[in-house]
């Protein structure tokens, strides 16, 4: 990590905002609508921020949304940077470090994922209890900055137990069906083969996706509390006798987005 670059990006953003966010929320595929709930919104586009990749690479909604959610000062990432786009891990880490330096203490990561656990159904929301890094790359490879965190960070409690419990309670109180499980990150951009999905189940995965793990590693290293929520948009490859496509992922997240929004806004309220 290049501290000078992070500070340069942060200094730019601080000229645009007058809040100090306490919670960062990364919105996964099809889940970007949560940003509509933010009050006193200030948008900062990634392409305008020094050192962030340009929008042609990131996609359309590549922006931070600052404001209030459930009475708390938050920053949302509407659109994340994916490993499969070809970005080095350092670039995936940058927006997390930026949020950390803007003052967040907690990071909520969300994503769309394929259901590997056969008791799941498309449309289920899953609280992430742990992950498996199947990308075999790590955003912390390289020189360590002791100002940020230790050389060998502990990953035994990456997903905050209190936040897992809180999320379960909130789901129950609002009659939202919730699953818990282990998220496995594959590099993508191909969906998995049926054999890979069987392997993922054998090694202990409940859901599979192409994001989140590098961001969680960076957040943990930087001392942030992490909550992860997956939206199971489809059953993973080979489970049902049908091909996978991005359309299904978007359709399911659209179907679930109101429930998802209700869950996150109520969790944030209780944080
Ligand atoms: N595999 C990987 N990533 C995904 C999937 C999947 O089945 N669904 C949504 N994102």
């Amino acid at each position: 990590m290049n501290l000078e670059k992070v500070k340069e990006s942060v200094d730019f953003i601080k000229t645009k905002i007058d809040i100090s966010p306490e919670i960062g929320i990364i919105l996964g595929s099809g889940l970007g609508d949560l940003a509509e709930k933010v009050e006193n919104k200030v948008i900062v586009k990634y392409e305008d921020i020094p050192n962030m990749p340009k929008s042609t690479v990131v996609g359309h909604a590549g922006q931070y949304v600052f404001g209030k959610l459930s009475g708390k000062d938050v920053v949302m990432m509407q659109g994340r940077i994916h490993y499969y786009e070809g970005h080095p891990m350092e670039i995936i880490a940058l927006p997390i470090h930026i949020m950390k330096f803007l003052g967040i203490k907690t990071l909520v990561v969300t994503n769309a994922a394929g259901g590997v656990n056969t008791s799941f159904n498309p449309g289920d929301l899953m609280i992430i209890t742990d992950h498996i890094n199947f990308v075999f790359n790590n955003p912390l490879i390289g020189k360590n900055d002791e100002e940020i965190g230790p050389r060998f960070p502990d990953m035994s409690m990456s997903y905050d137990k209190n936040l897992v419990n809180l999320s379960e309670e909130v789901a129950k109180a609002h009659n939202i069906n919730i699953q818990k499980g282990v998220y496995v990150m594959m590099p993508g951009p191909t969906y998995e083969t049926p054999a890979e999905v069987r392997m993922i189940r054998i090694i202990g995965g409940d859901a599979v996706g192409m994001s989140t793990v590098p961001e969680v590693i960076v957040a943990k290293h930087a001392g942030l509390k992490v909550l992860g929520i997956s939206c199971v948009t489809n059953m993973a490859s080979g489970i049902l006798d049908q091909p996978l496509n991005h359309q299904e992922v978007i359709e399911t997240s659209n179907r679930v987005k109101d429930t998802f929004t209700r869950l996150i806004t109520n969790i944030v309220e209780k944080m």
Side-chain angles (χ1 to χ4, degrees):
M1 193 212 49
N2 184 326
L3 201 54
E4 287 312 306
K5 281 192 171 169
V6 176
K7 286 183 174 157
E8 197 183 1
S9 309
V10 168
D11 286 346
F12 172 82
I13 294 171
K14 279 187 172 166
T15 66
K16 307 281 173 199
I17 61 170
D18 55 10
I19 60 161
S20 176
E22 49 178 316
I23 301 167
I25 305 174
I26 304 179
L27 302 173
S29 289
L31 304 171
D33 271 21
L34 182 59
E36 303 306 320
K37 294 278 178 231
V38 175
E39 291 161 30
N40 305 332
K41 222 184 280 181
V42 175
I43 288 172
V44 183
K45 288 191 183 321
Y46 300 155
E47 62 185 21
D48 295 333
I49 302 169
N51 309 313
M52 283 286 279
K54 300 293 164 232
S55 62
T56 45
V57 198
V58 179
H60 291 294
Q63 57 193 27
Y64 283 116
V65 179
F66 294 87
K68 275 209 188 296
L69 184 75
S70 306
K72 307 260 164 71
D73 287 334
V74 302
V75 49
M76 291 188 188
M77 286 181 67
Q78 203 176 24
R80 55 150 53 88
I81 300 167
H82 287 97
Y83 187 58
Y84 62 70
E85 289 172 289
H87 295 295
M89 283 287 184
E90 193 180 358
I91 293 294
I92 300 172
L94 178 64
I96 313 302
H97 284 135
I98 290 174
M99 292 191 287
K100 156 84 184 175
F101 277 82
L102 287 170
I104 69 163
K105 302 283 183 282
T106 305
L107 180 68
V108 181
V109 284
T110 70
N111 58 50
V116 173
N117 185 324
T118 52
S119 73
F120 290 179
N121 289 299
D124 281 354
L125 297 172
M126 183 190 90
I127 302 167
I128 304 175
T129 53
D130 204 350
H131 73 225
I132 295 174
N133 180 357
F134 222 83
V135 173
F136 305 114
N137 194 349
N138 193 302
L140 304 183
I141 289 175
K143 192 173 169 301
N144 187 54
D145 192 331
E146 292 289 329
E147 233 186 279
I148 305 286
R151 171 75 291 188
F152 302 110
D154 175 35
M155 293 296 288
S156 66
M157 283 172 265
S158 304
Y159 298 85
D160 188 86
K161 284 213 171 65
N162 292 330
L163 291 179
V164 168
N165 294 339
L166 173 71
S167 305
E168 264 190 302
E169 283 163 22
V170 167
K172 202 181 260 177
H174 291 83
N175 280 321
I176 297 169
N177 184 34
I178 200 96
Q179 309 282 4
K180 281 197 292 186
V182 173
Y183 177 88
V184 176
M185 180 186 176
M186 298 291 273
T190 53
Y191 289 114
E192 299 67 39
T193 64
E196 285 166 348
V197 170
R198 288 194 296 275
M199 172 198 71
I200 290 166
R201 188 175 309 115
I202 289 166
I203 65 171
D206 295 293
V208 59
M210 306 175 193
S211 68
T212 302
V213 166
E215 295 146 329
V216 170
I217 290 172
V218 171
K220 272 310 285 180
H221 180 241
L224 300 177
K225 279 198 280 187
V226 174
L227 170 66
I229 311 262
S230 290
C231 172
V232 177
T233 51
N234 56 282
M235 293 315 289
S237 168
I239 294 179
L240 304 175
D241 192 18
Q242 64 186 47
L244 267 59
N245 62 69
H246 187 59
Q247 198 52 37
E248 185 188 3
V249 171
I250 296 303
E251 274 167 21
T252 309
S253 39
N254 262 324
R255 174 160 67 77
V256 179
K257 70 182 181 208
D258 289 348
T259 312
F260 171 80
T261 297
R262 210 151 47 89
L263 180 67
I264 302 288
T265 49
N266 283 293
I267 291 171
V268 167
E269 190 186 329
K270 294 264 156 46
M271 268 179 175

